[in-house]
Amino acid sequence: MPEHTNHGIECHEFDSLLADAIDGILSGAELDRFQAHARTCSACGPLLAEAKAGRNWLKGLSEVNPPANLINNILASTTGIDSQRLRNNVPTPQRTSLWERMQAWVSGVVQPVFAQTWASVRQPRFAMSFGMAFFSISVALSVLGVKPADLSHVSLRPAAIRHTYYNTQARVVRYYENIRFVYEVESRVRELKRNVEPVQPAPNEAAPEKKEHKDDTTQQPEQKQERNYSQTENHLVLASARLGPSVNDAFRKNDPSVVLVSTYRRFV
Amino acid sequence: MEDVQVIAMLVRRCVAGDAGAWEEIVQTYNRRIYNICYRFAGSANDAEDLTQEVFIKMYRTLSSYDASKGAFVTWVTTITRNLLVDHFRKTKQDRLTDSIDAPVSAQEDAQPLSEQIHDQSAPPDAHVRSREAGETVHAALGKLSPELREAVILRDLQDLDYREIATVLKVPEGTVKSRINRGRAELARLLQRTYRQVM
Ligand SMILES: [Zn+2]
């Protein structure tokens, strides 16, 4: 940069004033001298224009949003257990049994479909409620004289379950209207119903599937396997997930208190 | 920009083992740190890793923060900047082995900006409104030398004052101003060149 001494300031002074000038904090005689130098100096004039332009470009850049999981990852890597890393360390193929791999696969298929339901189902609190609800119902039904045999033909279709639920509730209410126990059952069942609701959206596709199974049990294992591999068909996954043993087994594995659930399944 | 007493209290609580206080610090500063890292390192992946590293470092050294010696944001920015320097040194070798010209011209050719650049006297702010232009500026920023890049990021993107930047970079204020001037001018020249090419 050539050194000029015209109009009272030199190029190096111009440089030291440039930032302040762009910030707009130069004033009076200093500003006049600065501007005069910018007009006459062939090096500093363009520098002023470029610095201004560069600042404008930068000011036009907007803030970017950090990834959604950033905070969680930070907290995990500082205060908590890094679940991601733990998970990465676990799966060594030699050590996992076929059963474990199947479980992993099933949960991989089931989880995206059930996401919400599955998360709540895995909570011990819900598992207890789940068990309690059916225990209560089974007590109520046996008190009412309903035998398991009567229920053997009851369909598992969501609509049918709903129907059975309302019928049962009506009967229970008739007999035990004033007893607090009813309210207990009611609230448990309502909670269950809320949690089961997301499973219901595909009754049309799922129902015939289920019937077929009932009629032709010899082919059941084979069919089930086929469905497991057709991961792209959402409703098939839904159907198999609802009927399959995976949920039950996962239950039993995770929480001993959920044995009641499988009891219920046999019961119905 | 920060309430000194609030931050000092937050840090004290955190050092005493209050996880909630730490979470508040993370909530407050993650965006700022991520943006510095993103603009300096260039890629979102690097920025994410670096931001995590910054917080791990912060978490370990939080007890060494002395409120009487400067603002917390300056301390945080210094940690960030030091990790960025390390990162730059580590990746320098990789970048040297890359082709210097090919990626640059490919990137520049990819910017569909021709219609925006006929009137060079128009304020650049107008151009930057488009996402493509933002990406061009971001790419140009990546071509500045690290000294100039960090200076303009801290000044024009993070709005730190010259004194704070001087503290972070450990250079005199005059040097900070000079780097900011050169960084801004160099960026404008790079972008001007990009637009001429497209024209
Ligand atoms: Zn000059």
Side-chain angles (χ1 to χ4, degrees):
Chain A
M1 198 182 292
E3 289 292 309
H4 293 258
T5 50
N6 47 348
H7 303 285
I9 64 168
E10 298 179 355
C11 289
H12 69 90
E13 287 179 82
F14 180 90
D15 190 49
S16 67
L17 292 175
L18 179 54
D20 289 343
I22 290 174
D23 286 347
I25 55 172
L26 279 192
S27 61
E30 207 172 29
L31 179 63
D32 291 341
R33 288 202 319 253
F34 176 85
Q35 285 174 333
H37 183 92
R39 275 194 301 273
T40 55
C41 177
S42 59
C44 297
L47 182 65
L48 172 62
E50 285 167 349
K52 264 186 185 166
R55 181 183 176 278
N56 285 343
W57 284 114
L58 288 161
K59 286 290 176 189
L61 276 183
S62 43
E63 252 194 354
V64 292
N65 291 322
N69 59 346
L70 180 64
I71 292 177
N72 283 337
N73 289 346
I74 290 168
L75 293 175
S77 59
T78 50
T79 55
I81 301 156
D82 191 341
S83 52
Q84 188 68 45
R85 256 177 239 161
L86 285 179
R87 241 178 291 135
N88 289 343
N89 287 341
V90 171
T92 45
Q94 309 94 300
R95 271 187 284 154
T96 49
S97 68
L98 176 67
W99 171 240
E100 279 169 331
R101 268 177 284 145
M102 272 177 67
Q103 267 191 318
W105 186 86
V106 166
S107 66
V109 173
V110 170
Q111 232 152 324
V113 178
F114 279 102
Q116 220 181 342
T117 317
W118 184 239
S120 57
V121 156
R122 283 199 300 188
Q123 290 171 6
R125 181 188 57 79
F126 175 75
M128 274 304 290
S129 314
F130 201 68
M132 276 305 294
F134 290 111
F135 178 70
S136 307
I137 288 176
S138 64
V139 169
L141 289 178
S142 55
V143 165
L144 288 169
V146 182
K147 292 189 176 65
D150 298 334
L151 294 166
S152 60
H153 62 273
V154 170
S155 173
L156 268 177
R157 279 180 300 119
I161 289 174
R162 257 204 310 276
H163 188 242
T164 310
Y165 158 64
Y166 284 124
N167 276 349
T168 309
Q169 192 196 38
R171 258 186 283 174
V172 170
V173 167
R174 267 200 302 280
Y175 282 85
Y176 291 94
E177 215 159 14
N178 297 320
I179 303 173
R180 199 180 162 278
F181 173 69
V182 175
Y183 294 104
E184 177 72 12
V185 174
E186 234 173 15
S187 69
R188 297 293 189 194
V189 171
R190 211 174 289 130
E191 189 181 348
L192 163 74
K193 198 168 151 269
R194 251 203 323 275
N195 282 290
V196 160
E197 222 117 59
V199 187
Q200 292 175 0
N204 292 339
E205 294 96 329
E209 206 83 43
K210 163 68 185 147
K211 280 225 169 84
E212 249 176 38
H213 274 229
K214 282 210 145 178
D215 297 339
D216 186 5
T217 48
T218 52
Q219 284 188 14
Q220 206 164 344
E222 213 178 11
Q223 278 189 351
K224 194 165 278 176
Q225 215 168 27
E226 257 177 272
R227 275 192 271 142
N228 281 347
Y229 286 111
S230 58
Q231 296 178 56
T232 48
E233 300 283 317
N234 241 3
H235 62 276
L236 291 182
V237 171
L238 255 178
S240 71
R242 188 156 44 82
L243 295 168
S246 55
V247 175
N248 242 340
D249 290 324
F251 252 119
R252 237 179 277 141
K253 195 163 185 264
N254 287 348
D255 192 335
S257 69
V258 199
V259 172
L260 281 168
V261 175
S262 55
T263 307
Y264 159 69
R265 280 175 171 272
R266 239 186 300 133
F267 182 65
V268 170
Chain B
M1 88 141 288
E2 60 184 19
D3 189 325
V4 178
Q5 285 185 330
V6 170
I7 285 290
M9 174 60 86
L10 211 52
V11 171
R12 269 200 301 278
R13 275 170 54 201
C14 191
V15 170
D18 183 341
W22 172 243
E23 192 171 342
E24 216 175 313
I25 290 175
V26 175
Q27 296 272 8
T28 309
Y29 292 96
N30 79 86
R31 194 180 174 83
R32 164 179 281 270
I33 293 171
Y34 178 81
N35 270 272
I36 297 176
C37 293
Y38 175 67
R39 293 305 181 191
F40 187 88
S43 91
N45 281 342
D46 285 350
E48 194 175 349
D49 293 347
L50 285 161
T51 307
Q52 281 203 54
E53 276 184 55
V54 169
F55 276 102
I56 291 169
K57 185 89 182 277
M58 268 172 76
Y59 191 68
R60 287 188 192 139
T61 56
L62 204 58
S63 57
S64 73
Y65 169 65
D66 183 352
S68 68
K69 283 185 182 164
F72 189 68
V73 68
T74 312
W75 186 75
V76 167
T77 309
T78 305
I79 291 179
T80 308
R81 189 263 173 175
N82 291 343
L83 278 168
L84 287 173
V85 171
D86 292 345
H87 170 76
F88 180 81
R89 285 182 189 144
K90 262 185 269 172
T91 56
K92 197 176 178 184
Q93 203 52 50
D94 304 338
R95 273 178 284 115
L96 283 176
T97 55
D98 287 346
S99 167
I100 294 162
D101 293 320
V104 170
S105 59
Q107 213 163 25
E108 284 167 352
D109 290 346
Q111 304 300 327
L113 293 163
S114 49
E115 75 280 2
Q116 301 177 356
I117 57 170
H118 293 292
D119 182 7
Q120 291 227 334
S121 63
D125 314 62
H127 301 310
V128 183
R129 292 212 183 95
S130 82
R131 202 175 58 84
E132 290 87 355
E135 282 166 13
T136 310
V137 177
H138 180 72
L141 193 55
K143 287 179 215 158
L144 295 184
S145 75
E147 289 81 12
L148 303 189
R149 199 189 316 160
E150 64 184 4
V152 295
I153 288 173
L154 295 181
R155 178 63 191 147
D156 290 331
L157 302 183
Q158 296 298 319
D159 290 317
L160 296 187
D161 62 36
Y162 300 113
R163 193 179 48 80
E164 287 173 317
I165 298 171
T167 306
V168 171
L169 303 185
K170 297 177 187 73
V171 293
E173 269 187 56
T175 307
V176 169
K177 286 183 178 178
S178 175
R179 286 183 188 175
I180 290 168
N181 294 337
R182 284 191 286 142
R184 287 167 171 171
E186 179 66 21
L187 186 79
R189 281 195 288 269
L190 283 165
L191 289 164
Q192 220 168 36
R193 216 180 298 155
T194 303
Y195 291 144
R196 281 209 196 99
Q197 270 184 8
V198 180
M199 279 174 91

